[in-house]
């Protein structure tokens, strides 16, 4: 990709509202928060899982289990991409017969989520698995669909969609960059 300029398409207030809405959807679809485990996909998926858990806690007045699921070794592009550092997987409790909500920042081709499903098989057998993403930008290569979406953002396949979160980036925003000709 050549030089590009990032344009903010969503600010921190919009992100906060989306997280609150998604938390309400998760609670409603699951008839509460019992047996819920939120597993964030590093890096920003983990931060979003924590924010969702805080929002669910404010709705249900109960703690929600939060963990991390590293998918590095399950990716189908390891042969084409430079070697990545293996991240952390931290499962807060046994996942058997639980409802697991995988959380990620951007859903694009579906390959990261496919890797997450493969990684999940190694750590337990949940009763059900749901997917929560802040941004669904389309262009699937695999039949993966999010259950809880902050925003649908149609962008050309060559565009870069980035989620920025205060914990890492000093502010919350969603940006899109189109390659310059």
């Amino acid at each position: 990709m050549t030089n590009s300029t990032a344009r903010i398409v969503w600010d921190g207030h919009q992100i906060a509202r989306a997280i609150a809405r998604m938390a309400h959807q998760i609670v409603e679809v699951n008839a509460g928060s019992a047996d819920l485990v939120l597993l964030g996909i590093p890096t920003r998926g983990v931060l979003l899982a924590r924010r969702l858990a805080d929002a669910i806690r404010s709705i249900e007045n109960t703690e929600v289990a939060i963990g991390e699921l590293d998918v590095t070794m399950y990716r189908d592009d390891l042969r084409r991409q430079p070697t990545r550092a293996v991240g952390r997987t931290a499962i807060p409790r046994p996942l058997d017969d639980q409802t697991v909500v995988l959380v990620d920042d951007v859903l694009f081709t579906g390959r990261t989520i496919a890797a997450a499903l493969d990684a999940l098989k190694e750590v337990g057998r949940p009763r059900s698995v749901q997917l929560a993403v802040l941004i669904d930008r389309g262009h699937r290569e695999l039949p993966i669909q999010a259950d809880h979406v902050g925003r649908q953002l149609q962008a050309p396949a060559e565009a870069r969609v980035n989620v920025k979160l205060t914990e890492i980036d000093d502010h919350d925003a969603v940006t899109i960059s189109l390659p310059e000709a």
Side-chain angles (χ1 to χ4, degrees), residues 11-146:
D11 65 22
H13 295 293
Q14 292 164 310
I15 291 171
R17 279 195 299 272
I19 290 170
R21 181 174 33 79
M22 291 168 63
H24 279 279
Q25 289 173 348
I26 291 168
V27 168
E28 183 177 336
V29 164
N30 293 291
S33 60
D35 300 329
L36 271 184
V37 178
L38 303 180
L39 290 183
I41 298 171
T43 298
R44 286 166 181 81
V46 174
L47 301 174
L48 290 168
R50 290 178 188 153
R51 291 184 186 192
L52 279 168
D54 288 344
I56 292 170
R57 184 182 315 107
S58 72
I59 297 165
E60 291 284 289
N61 198 28
T62 186
E63 293 297 317
V64 177
I66 310 164
E68 302 178 30
L69 184 66
D70 180 64
V71 302
T72 303
M73 298 309 296
Y74 299 89
R75 296 189 60 88
D76 65 0
D77 61 358
L78 284 176
R79 288 185 285 283
R80 297 185 329 180
Q81 299 285 337
T83 304
R84 307 167 186 240
V86 175
R88 176 184 151 156
T89 291
I91 305 302
R93 65 178 187 224
L95 299 180
D96 294 346
D97 297 319
Q98 302 291 295
T99 297
V100 170
V101 180
L102 293 173
V103 182
D104 205 4
D105 56 349
V106 178
L107 176 58
F108 184 25
T109 62
R111 293 187 179 278
T112 297
I113 302 309
L117 292 170
D118 287 342
L120 194 56
K121 291 178 202 172
E122 299 285 328
V123 294
R125 188 174 192 281
R127 174 181 45 231
S128 69
V129 179
Q130 298 170 16
L131 176 59
V133 296
L134 187 62
I135 302 294
D136 181 346
R137 59 166 297 181
H139 300 285
R140 274 329 159 266
E141 295 175 1
L142 299 173
I144 302 286
Q145 177 178 317

